[in-house]
Amino acid sequence: MFARAVAPAADLAVPATRGTPGQRTRALRWLAPVGVAYTLAQLLLVVPGSGLGWDETIYTSQVSGSVPAAFFSAPRARGITFLAAPVAELTSSTAALRVWLALLSGVGLFLALWVWRTLLPARVPALAGALFASLWITLYYGPQVMPNVWSAYGSLLAVGCFLRAARDRADRAALAGLACGVAVVGLMRPPDAVWLAVPLVAAALAVPRWRRPVLLAVVALGVVLGCAEWVVEAYARYGGLAARLRVGSDIQGGMGWNFAVDDQIRALDGRTLCRPCTVPWRHRATAGWFLALPVLAAGGVHAAAVARRRATVLLPLVVAACVAAPYLFLIDYAAPRFLLPAYLLLAVPVAECLWWLVTRRGDGPRPVVAALVALACGAHLTVQYLVLAQAVRANRSESREYAAVAADLRRAGVRPPCAITGDASVPIAFAAGCASRQPDGPNASVTTEGLRSLARRMPVAVLVAERRQAPPYARRWRVVVLPDGASYIRHRAYVSVEPPRPGTGPAGPARPAHADGSTASVRVSSAR
């Protein structure tokens, strides 16, 4: 069916070329402002005052020059750490890291759109990029140490270069871009690279004009280059690729049939993670654009068929469906960032549809339709801004809470080199400059005996939530009541050292405060 739909358009397609200098100039005028506007929006709306989230601290700690590396679990890949390394190695400043990644993400969006300049009129990829950049998810994760935006860029780059290479056998740059695009996805999220490669290989086999061995070889090369480090690490740390995939599946709750479309819809109201996603769907306006995507994408395919370029718009739609499938049907929770590659690919047919709606072929604009589309886009932007503001506020609040807890722990004597375990230990340990170590759960990296051994060599803090007991080895340690926040409430820390006193030297091991061996409860106030 795909071959029948694509073949007519493929046969009529004009081979892609590098374009004339005038065409490149026009494309630059359309596409460069999109990348610049996206970067500026991040710098103005997201970067100021934002802190590193839970997952970000894990990725950043791998390349940080000031914080011990956190445990790196099986599903994660190290691609994003390569982008963060140049800044994270030199400074612990979150602001510097945010600015660096905001700049890179703006350039990345521009480059991913640039390869489409010879496939579609420049206004189409420009609008596609603007639509993608307008999503609160894209703005929120653009300056973050997270892989999903970059997986989206790699996907769009790969599909665009595949189309160019399929149509023009002399376009060697497109072959290189295809390999790079798939490799970027493999570096960022290896399973996504497989879901990206499958429809590309299928298209190369299904469409006669695209049936070139070199396309298959280049797609395979991109998968190998991108996933090689992850596969090598699988054998080095987990005993093989199958073992790592099994462990990764267990951490994600098991891969299998799970209808998660409704979970993704509910998560669009500003939730960065919805697990378990049993919350009610209250803010329904936040999902309006999501529900409109299938209709607008189908309209884009029709518009492209009218313009005799259906394959150029249909292939991104097919690939988007493939890369979205595992997150819509194979896991039992939702995170809006998982679908960013699909959203960027779908932006191409959506942009084609919107341009077709507001213009007539050779007959000028349609003022009434254009006004309605502009009104809908304005409402969309308003909703996205409101959700973004909410997500940024939550990030800033959570970061302040973690920083306050880390400051209290430092005052209690937990200073580098040190280790922290327990509830929310990963981001708090990063803020305190300590190692995060867990004896159980998906981030298990040390045994109970190992924690006891660490406590004999360095300060160790065990973070315990309200109504939960400390582990037996820490019950005789000193208790520090931690400051409350909006999400981190009524926690306490069991600290293995006495608080430092002026003139007494480093803190020593904690001693029982009472004859029965119980410890004193101390509240360490932070200036907040």
Side-chain angles (χ1 to χ4, degrees), residues 400-415 461 463 478-485 488 491-501 520-528:
R400 287 193 296 269
E401 292 176 20
Y402 292 153
V405 172
D408 280 15
L409 292 174
R410 283 193 294 269
R411 276 189 282 273
V414 182
R415 298 174 180 174
L463 308 180
R478 184 168 55 92
V479 180
V480 175
V481 179
L482 299 173
D484 288 344
Y488 202 74
H491 280 64
R492 60 197 186 280
Y494 288 77
V495 178
S496 68
V497 294
E498 293 290 347
R501 296 185 179 89
S521 179
V522 180
R523 184 170 192 95
V524 182
S525 300
S526 62
R528 301 184 67 186

Side-chain angles (χ1 to χ4, degrees), residues 34-66:
V34 175
V36 172
Y38 177 46
T39 299
L40 291 177
Q42 294 175 68
L43 294 175
L44 292 173
L45 302 176
V46 181
V47 170
S50 66
L52 297 181
W54 187 302
D55 293 295
E56 286 187 282
T57 60
I58 294 176
Y59 288 119
T60 306
S61 70
Q62 309 303 309
V63 292
S64 172
S66 57

Side-chain angles (χ1 to χ4, degrees), residues 354 356-360 364-377:
L354 293 179
W356 176 73
L357 286 174
V358 301
T359 61
R360 282 195 179 100
R366 297 173 174 174
V368 175
V369 176
L372 292 175
V373 170
L375 185 63
C377 288

